Amino acid sequence: MHNKSKLIASTIAFVKQELIDAEGGHDWFHVERVYKNTLLIAKTEPVDIEIVSLAALMHDIADSKFNDGNEAIGPKKAQQFLLENDVDSSVIEHVTQIIQNMSFKNSLDVNTAFTSKEMEVVQDADRLDAIGAIGIARCFNYGGYKNRALYNPEIEPNLNMTKAQYKSSDAPTINHFYEKLLLLKDQMNTKTGKRIALERHNYMEGFLKQFYAEWDGIK
C-alpha cells in the first residue's frame, strides 16, 4: 500500500521534470494552478481526493498539441508512473480515463463516453485556468508560440468545429475566445466552478470590448 502524501510529492516532482521545457501556458505553473483549483472545488463535491489530485497533476503531462496530435502519450505516461508507484489498479484506471477524456477538444467528439464526478471536478479546474485574466494571457502566449495573428476582422470564428478542425485550426488568437473560451462558462459541471467561471467570463468580455475599441481607434 502506498503512502498517499508521499505519492503526491513524487507525482509533483515527476510532473515538474516532465514539463521542464513546456510552453508557458502548459507548464508546471499551469498544472499547479489546476491542482489548486481542483482542491478548492473538491471541498464541496463528493469525490475521491487522491484520484482528483493525481488526475489534476498529470492531466497535461504530454499535451497532444505538443506531441504531433498524439493523444495516447499522456495517459500512457501517467499509467506507467502510477504502476511504478504501486498504485491500486482501479485508481490507475480512473485517473487515466480522466486524463484521456477531460479536454475541450474531446468534448467536441460525440463518442466520448467516460464521465465521473472526479472528472467533472478536474475538468472544471482546468477550464477555469483557460478563462479570466490568466486565460487571456495563456491564449495570447500560445498564439505567439504558434506565430498566429492577434486578430483579423476578415476571418470569422468557426462556431461549429469538429474535433479534427479544432486540432488543426490556425485562426487568429481572438477567434479562440469565440471558439472555446467564451463557451466554457456554460460547460462547467460544479457549483463552485460555475461561480468562479462567471466572474472570469465577465472579465474576458470586458477585455474584448476594450480590445475592439483600441483596434478601431475609438479609445
Side-chain angles (χ1 to χ4, degrees):
M1 186 62 186
H2 61 271
N3 175 312
K4 290 186 181 182
S5 57
K6 192 178 168 205
L7 174 63
I8 295 297
S10 301
T11 306
I12 288 171
F14 171 64
V15 173
K16 279 184 175 175
Q17 188 54 43
E18 286 290 315
L19 297 180
I20 208 154
D21 295 319
E23 175 265 338
H26 298 81
D27 58 2
W28 160 250
F29 294 114
H30 160 64
V31 170
E32 185 179 44
R33 291 189 303 270
V34 172
Y35 179 48
K36 286 177 185 168
N37 287 342
T38 295
L39 296 180
L40 174 70
I41 296 169
K43 285 179 182 172
T44 53
E45 300 295 328
V47 290
D48 183 315
I49 289 293
E50 182 181 37
I51 288 172
V52 294
S53 297
L54 292 170
L57 287 168
M58 291 196 281
H59 81 280
D60 258 350
I61 199 138
D63 191 304
S64 64
K65 284 194 286 295
F66 308 104
N67 288 279
D68 299 320
N70 189 332
E71 292 173 38
I73 299 175
K76 271 205 185 97
K77 276 191 177 181
Q79 183 182 40
Q80 192 57 42
F81 172 80
L82 295 172
L83 278 169
E84 286 165 8
N85 282 271
D86 300 321
V87 177
D88 188 77
S89 61
S90 64
V91 172
I92 296 177
E93 173 65 16
H94 197 158
V95 170
T96 50
Q97 284 281 11
I98 291 173
I99 295 169
Q100 218 165 330
N101 290 286
M102 64 177 266
S103 72
F104 177 78
K105 67 180 175 300
N106 284 341
S107 71
L108 300 172
D109 186 347
V110 288
N111 300 318
T112 303
F114 179 82
T115 186
S116 73
K117 201 71 195 157
E118 282 76 9
M119 181 168 114
E120 289 182 353
V121 167
V122 182
Q123 192 174 53
D124 276 11
D126 187 35
R127 289 178 173 181
L128 284 177
D129 207 52
I131 57 179
I134 285 175
I136 293 168
R138 290 180 68 217
C139 189
F140 284 100
N141 190 79
Y142 186 71
Y145 175 81
K146 299 294 276 185
N147 198 27
R148 291 179 181 166
L150 291 178
Y151 173 50
N152 182 339
E154 291 172 16
I155 301 175
E156 294 279 322
N158 180 355
L159 302 180
N160 294 296
M161 275 196 281
T162 62
K163 181 179 167 183
Q165 287 173 319
Y166 180 83
K167 284 179 77 170
S168 63
S169 172
D170 59 358
T173 297
I174 282 289
N175 289 25
H176 195 58
F177 282 80
Y178 301 95
E179 292 166 354
K180 176 183 176 181
L181 309 190
L182 293 169
L183 306 177
L184 295 179
K185 170 179 70 75
D186 295 329
Q187 294 185 12
M188 303 303 281
N189 306 297
T190 65
K191 200 173 164 187
T192 306
K194 285 174 182 168
R195 176 177 56 76
I196 301 170
L198 180 61
E199 198 178 315
R200 295 191 183 195
H201 179 89
N202 291 341
Y203 184 88
M204 289 192 299
E205 290 203 315
F207 168 81
L208 287 168
K209 203 171 164 187
Q210 178 71 19
F211 183 94
Y212 295 127
E214 292 180 14
W215 187 274
D216 293 333
I218 294 167
K219 61 178 182 180

